[in-house]
Amino acid sequence: MPPTPKDAHYARLRRDHRDRKRARGEGGDPVALPEGRVALYGLHTVRAALENDERKVHRMLATENALARLAVGDIGALPFPVEIVRPPAIDAFTGPDAVHQGIAIEADALAPKTLEDLGTAKLVIVLDQVTDPHNVGALMRSGVAMAADALVTTARHSPAESGVLAKAASGALEHLPIIHARNLANAIGELNNRGFQTIGLDSDGPKPLEQTVAGDRIALVLGAEGKGLRQKTRATVSDLARLDMPGAIRSLNVSNAAVLALYIARRHLGAPA
């Protein structure tokens, strides 16, 4: 549903409230949650979380308007308490800079998967120390749109599950399993052994990605902006490939590069069965 005049009114009030707090030097940090729990917010994010059987929700904070837009029916039938509040109460829960759209939940973080859970997966994304949650979230959204089966990240130097990551993913966090690898080179080696063609995206790759994809199981490996793939990662993937940019700007944001690479890989693999 499009924003209503009431939404715009409350948004202005929240902005004015944040500006006044900043002027007073007040940071407005979010509330501390028990270990293993996260605050998720935004209509798409919350709706996807409620539809995920693997997501345990402990409570919801929502304005009356946001609840109407969420359209969950009888809130008394939900297996967790729902608090009807005004926007400042949600600001205090999520932090004042969160674009929460009048709704937030406290939930358990999802349990990470392992490479053993890949099963018959055909398309996997691997990230080599990509740390920006906005980029990773946007990349996850593209991954779900292109029917990727999983996301493999480093256990360290990668964003933890958070409201920022989930909001950027716009619901994709609930659909794309995440696998944390303690040693990324070992994980890539295991993907190789499982029959994946592991392709590292590199501006100096010998051939374009379109001419490189060849297998029936593909893992696209992307590095952080600036430093790109680490040397050990470059040495472990089965192939290196580039994305040719014919324009004046020769590089892309990592999330934009990912969606282009995913499109090429999905076109090669065909529609999922």
Side-chain angles (χ1 to χ4, degrees):
M1 295 176 62
T4 66
K6 192 173 183 180
D7 292 330
H9 172 69
Y10 280 131
R12 285 193 297 271
L13 288 178
R14 287 196 297 274
R15 284 195 297 269
D16 292 344
H17 178 67
R18 288 196 295 265
D19 290 345
R20 287 193 297 271
K21 292 189 72 173
R22 289 192 184 102
R24 295 195 301 266
E26 299 174 10
D29 292 333
V31 298
L33 297 179
E35 185 176 356
R37 294 190 187 181
V38 292
L40 304 178
Y41 48 82
L43 284 166
H44 291 302
T45 301
V46 169
R47 184 178 290 113
L50 297 183
E51 293 172 351
N52 183 3
D53 291 338
E54 295 186 14
R55 174 74 74 179
K56 180 175 176 54
V57 178
H58 293 276
R59 64 172 173 142
M60 175 188 292
L61 288 78
T63 64
E64 290 184 357
N65 189 47
L67 270 180
R69 296 172 67 188
L70 191 66
V72 294
D74 180 13
I75 61 174
L78 294 173
F80 49 81
V82 177
E83 302 172 40
I84 309 298
V85 297
R86 294 178 63 82
I90 307 177
D91 289 341
F93 176 65
T94 63
D97 294 323
V99 184
H100 53 67
Q101 298 175 289
I103 192 160
I105 57 174
E106 179 180 339
D108 287 347
L110 294 172
K113 304 295 184 181
T114 70
L115 292 175
E116 298 294 330
D117 296 315
L118 284 176
T120 60
K122 298 291 186 181
L123 181 57
V124 172
I125 309 163
V126 182
L127 299 183
D128 186 6
Q129 295 192 348
V130 179
T131 58
D132 184 348
H134 297 92
N135 274 335
V136 175
L139 189 150
M140 293 181 71
R141 183 176 182 177
S142 299
V144 171
M146 292 295 167
D149 296 296
L151 172 70
V152 180
T153 71
T154 50
R156 299 176 61 194
H157 305 294
S158 63
E161 184 177 333
S162 67
V164 174
L165 175 66
K167 187 68 165 60
S170 192
L173 183 63
E174 311 299 326
H175 297 282
L176 189 66
I178 299 178
I179 297 168
H180 297 305
R182 292 187 178 277
N183 185 303
L184 192 66
N186 289 347
I188 293 172
E190 186 170 343
L191 288 170
N192 289 332
N193 293 336
R194 290 173 178 269
F196 282 88
Q197 181 190 18
T198 55
I199 305 173
L201 295 187
D202 188 284
S203 59
D204 295 323
K207 292 191 298 185
L209 180 60
E210 299 94 316
Q211 299 174 19
T212 304
V213 288
D216 59 2
R217 306 185 84 187
I218 295 172
L220 298 169
V221 188
L222 297 96
E225 291 185 56
K227 63 182 180 181
L229 299 174
R230 291 176 293 166
Q231 185 58 41
K232 182 68 171 178
T233 304
R234 290 167 54 90
T236 308
V237 295
S238 52
D239 296 280
L240 291 171
R242 65 181 187 270
L243 293 171
D244 281 336
M245 299 290 113
I249 295 177
R250 305 299 299 273
S251 62
L252 292 172
N253 169 286
V254 65
S255 62
N256 292 329
V259 72
L260 179 55
L262 284 163
Y263 177 80
I264 292 169
R266 175 49 66 196
R267 187 174 60 177
H268 167 78
L269 291 170

